[in-house]
Amino acid sequence: MTTTEHGPNASGRMVLAFMGFCLVIIFAASFIYRLERPTLEVHQKKGGGMGQGMPGGMDQAMNGPMREVMELMQKLQENPDDPGLQMAMAERFMAMGSFDRAKTFLDKVAKVRPDDPDVLNALGVVRYNMQDLDGAKAAFEAILAKDAEDFRARFNLGLLYKYAYKDEAKARQMLSAVIASPKTDPETRKTAQEELEAKPGS
């Protein structure tokens, strides 16, 4: 992830990294760390995208995230202030890459759950993808201010420092802490170790 390089290299990996992890931790099965390039991106089950045939493709799309969004919208009409539904909507839009729409719902949830690490984690991802790097950093730091052992936030901060801010010392500090934490799961520890050893441009 870089400040000037928001292409598929930096952007794709951190997003996938954060997304994957969030599925398992943040939204209780909505994010899963998939690191192809260091990027803070949220990706969930995207359903089967558009098919090649017109009817088939439309049907596949309607059975994927769009269908889920429509169902959630119906529920929101009945309970417009339900933070759980708002969070679910944000998650679906993040999965589709509609980060501006996701942020609209996350901002509403944040008003009633300002210290919720899942909300802050999602806001960090959304802000990153909207090129608000300082906002993303602030969200992850807010998580650590409440829980210094939250390795998700520390991992994402490590990638932020490495690819966006080009601060190798800070990145190494964050990633080393992730590796050392007994709370870090094996997959994340392995990924953090790889990131610690990899050069930013690799």
Side-chain angles (χ1 to χ4, degrees), residues 29-199:
S30 298
F31 292 124
I32 297 177
Y33 272 118
R34 293 182 185 182
L35 291 149
E36 292 183 356
R37 302 303 284 163
T39 282
L40 239 186
E41 190 176 300
V42 267
H43 73 266
Q44 313 169 347
K45 295 191 285 185
K46 300 199 175 190
M50 294 287 285
Q52 297 185 351
M54 182 74 166
M58 296 281 263
D59 185 59
Q60 286 182 359
M62 289 304 294
N63 286 325
M66 279 306 299
R67 183 182 185 85
E68 294 176 351
V69 167
M70 293 175 65
E71 291 174 349
L72 285 169
M73 286 295 287
Q74 291 179 342
K75 294 178 180 179
L76 271 173
Q77 288 180 350
E78 301 173 2
N79 301 287
D81 297 322
D82 186 322
L85 291 175
Q86 291 169 347
M87 192 68 170
M89 283 293 291
E91 180 186 341
R92 298 306 185 278
F93 281 123
M94 289 167 81
M96 294 187 292
S98 298
F99 298 105
D100 55 340
R101 294 186 180 182
K103 186 176 182 298
T104 299
F105 288 100
L106 287 172
D107 286 342
K108 293 178 180 179
V109 181
K111 290 180 180 179
V112 294
R113 298 179 181 176
D115 298 323
D116 188 320
D118 291 350
V119 177
L120 290 170
N121 204 24
L123 275 172
V125 173
V126 165
R127 288 171 180 172
Y128 169 77
N129 282 280
M130 295 179 71
Q131 300 186 14
D132 178 7
L133 300 181
D134 290 342
K137 178 172 171 284
F140 297 127
E141 288 178 338
I143 296 173
L144 291 175
K146 296 290 183 181
D147 180 8
E149 297 300 316
D150 192 308
F151 62 92
R152 297 173 306 174
R154 201 169 292 282
F155 175 80
N156 283 306
L157 270 176
L159 295 185
L160 219 86
Y161 279 120
K162 181 177 182 179
Y163 294 98
Y165 294 112
K166 306 290 190 177
D167 189 332
E168 284 291 321
K170 277 282 191 180
R172 180 168 293 276
Q173 176 186 344
M174 293 293 173
L175 293 171
S176 295
V178 171
I179 296 169
S181 174
K183 294 187 177 181
T184 304
D185 67 86
E187 183 180 354
T188 305
R189 182 175 289 109
K190 178 174 181 282
T191 301
Q193 184 64 53
E194 292 172 351
E195 287 296 339
L196 196 62
E197 297 170 355
K199 297 296 182 182

